[in-house]
Amino acid sequence: MSATIPHIHWTDGALRLLDQRRLPHEVEFVDCHTAGEVAQAIRQMVVRGAPAIGITAAYAVALAADAAWRSHGAQWRTAIAEPLAVLAAARPTAVNLHWALARMQRCMAALGGAAPGPVLAREAAAIHAEDIAANRRIGEFGAALIAPGSAVITICNTGTLATGGYGTALGVIRAAHAAGTLTEVFACETRPWLQGARLTMWELQDAGIPATLIADGAAAALMQRRHIAWVIAGADRIAVNGDAANKIGTYGLAVLARAHGVRCMIAAPTSTIDPDTGDGSQIPVEERGADELVSFRGLPVAPPGSRVWNPVFDVTPAGLIDAIVTEHGVVEQPARHGVRGLLRGR
Ligand code: MRU
């Protein structure tokens, strides 16, 4: 089985998504014919990762517009408001979702009287292709910061599966490996969905990058015992002051990194920067159901009636981040500079 199976695949009138919940042991696809089905796939984690969510939602807009055109003809715009709202609410933290919907709405506004579906599908494909190109640039910029002989820690999955392709933090890791500067990647398993164990290890093995899986709780001991050069993580939303929301556990890694002299890099496209969010306290953090913690694949693990708090992202303050790497360049010490300057290129 290969980690290069197309994971977001548009064919006329349908979006085929690789079901990331079942990887790496089962390869199954979910076919979405409506924007509502796409929103459900996003909510249920069939597709996940901030840029991948944005790309998927963009294709869903083409599906919604096509359906609205068939049902309402020239009045199609009135019928698309509801599916757009459902898509926007699918997951709250990844701002790439809102960024992609806003771009699709700008495209819709510029349309004439012809059927909207094909033009919007082309716009979604452009967003998809641009994301892959952005990730390659992020990889180059990030890898330039990595000295020869470096071991790194990463969390969650930030690879092809989480993006249009190649990956953000995992793109930096790919580029550093290609440059010969990387000795080893430690992948945090990333409870409760195990994106690190299931998806990142799969992608790293597929790419031939030396990788070791660790329990999330082993990161401190690893930094104590081994020389780790960088924590490299992605982001779901970056505030203009440089605070960055990412998978739960990233903040803990950043605190540990500071305590052990390890540097902390956040790698993300500029579509992850939210110009309307001044600092991390304004970032909505998704909390998911108790079932994700009290059971594992349907098997109960906690005693019945256990009270649960399940935030799935946390916010790393800019002061703990050494570099934010985007396709438009790098901001070192973002606490001093903020990231607004990076928005000029987007
Ligand atoms: O809940 P998920 O799997 O969607 O969370 C994904 C992450 O937190 C990633 O690290 C982040 O989206 C960056 S992906 C390039």
Side-chain angles (χ1 to χ4, degrees), residues 45 47-51 53 91 94 155-159 162-163 167-169 195 233-236 246-248 267 269 286 312-313:
M45 310 279 285
V47 59
R48 30 65 49 201
I53 291 170
R91 290 194 71 191
I155 182 168
C156 198
N157 171 263
T158 60
T163 64
T168 55
Q195 292 96 327
D236 284 72
N246 191 51
K247 180 52 57 193
I248 190 78
E286 177 181 7
V312 299
F313 300 100

Side-chain angles (χ1 to χ4, degrees), residues 14 29 37 78 83 98 106 117 132 142 152 186 262 286 296 335:
F29 297 90
E37 287 173 2
T78 57
H98 302 278
R106 285 197 297 278
I132 299 171
V152 304
F186 291 90
V262 174
E286 177 181 7
F296 182 73

Side-chain angles (χ1 to χ4, degrees), residues 263-339:
R263 300 181 78 200
C264 178
M265 181 192 302
I266 297 291
T270 52
S271 55
T272 309
I273 299 174
D274 182 356
D276 300 324
T277 297
D279 65 56
S281 69
Q282 297 160 23
I283 298 177
V285 171
E286 177 181 7
E287 294 189 14
R288 293 182 66 92
D291 53 306
E292 295 184 354
L293 293 185
V294 300
S295 59
F296 182 73
R297 298 214 154 144
L299 285 179
V301 290
S306 295
R307 207 163 49 206
V308 164
W309 181 50
N310 185 22
V312 299
F313 300 100
D314 56 25
V315 178
T316 300
L320 292 176
I321 300 170
D322 294 286
I324 293 181
V325 178
T326 73
E327 77 279 23
H328 294 311
V330 177
V331 172
E332 295 199 53
Q333 307 313 322
R336 249 183 262 151
H337 310 292
V339 293

Side-chain angles (χ1 to χ4, degrees), residues 128-327:
H128 192 164
E130 286 166 28
D131 185 67
I132 299 171
N135 291 338
R136 296 245 170 216
R137 296 287 295 156
I138 290 168
E140 284 166 26
F141 284 132
L145 298 174
I146 295 176
S150 293
V152 304
I153 302 182
T154 192
I155 182 168
C156 198
N157 171 263
T158 60
T160 287
L161 293 164
T163 64
Y166 195 70
T168 55
L170 210 138
V172 172
I173 287 167
R174 285 186 203 280
H177 177 253
T181 53
L182 196 79
T183 54
E184 186 167 12
V185 183
F186 291 90
C188 294
E189 60 177 345
T190 318
R191 286 191 180 273
W193 277 85
L194 301 176
Q195 292 96 327
R198 296 186 299 105
L199 309 177
T200 297
M201 286 302 288
W202 192 48
E203 289 200 44
L204 288 169
Q205 284 184 353
D206 190 67
I209 299 173
T212 302
L213 177 64
I214 58 169
D216 296 332
L222 177 66
M223 290 190 206
Q224 190 181 50
R225 285 176 181 219
R226 288 274 309 258
H227 177 68
I228 302 295
W230 285 94
V231 167
I232 308 180
D236 284 72
R237 190 182 299 225
I238 301 175
V240 289
N241 75 338
D243 294 349
N246 191 51
K247 180 52 57 193
I248 190 78
T250 307
Y251 171 42
L253 284 178
V255 171
L256 289 173
R258 189 53 57 92
H260 291 86
V262 174
R263 300 181 78 200
C264 178
M265 181 192 302
I266 297 291
T270 52
S271 55
T272 309
I273 299 174
D274 182 356
D276 300 324
T277 297
D279 65 56
S281 69
Q282 297 160 23
I283 298 177
V285 171
E286 177 181 7
E287 294 189 14
R288 293 182 66 92
D291 53 306
E292 295 184 354
L293 293 185
V294 300
S295 59
F296 182 73
R297 298 214 154 144
L299 285 179
V301 290
S306 295
R307 207 163 49 206
V308 164
W309 181 50
N310 185 22
V312 299
F313 300 100
D314 56 25
V315 178
T316 300
L320 292 176
I321 300 170
D322 294 286
I324 293 181
V325 178
T326 73
E327 77 279 23

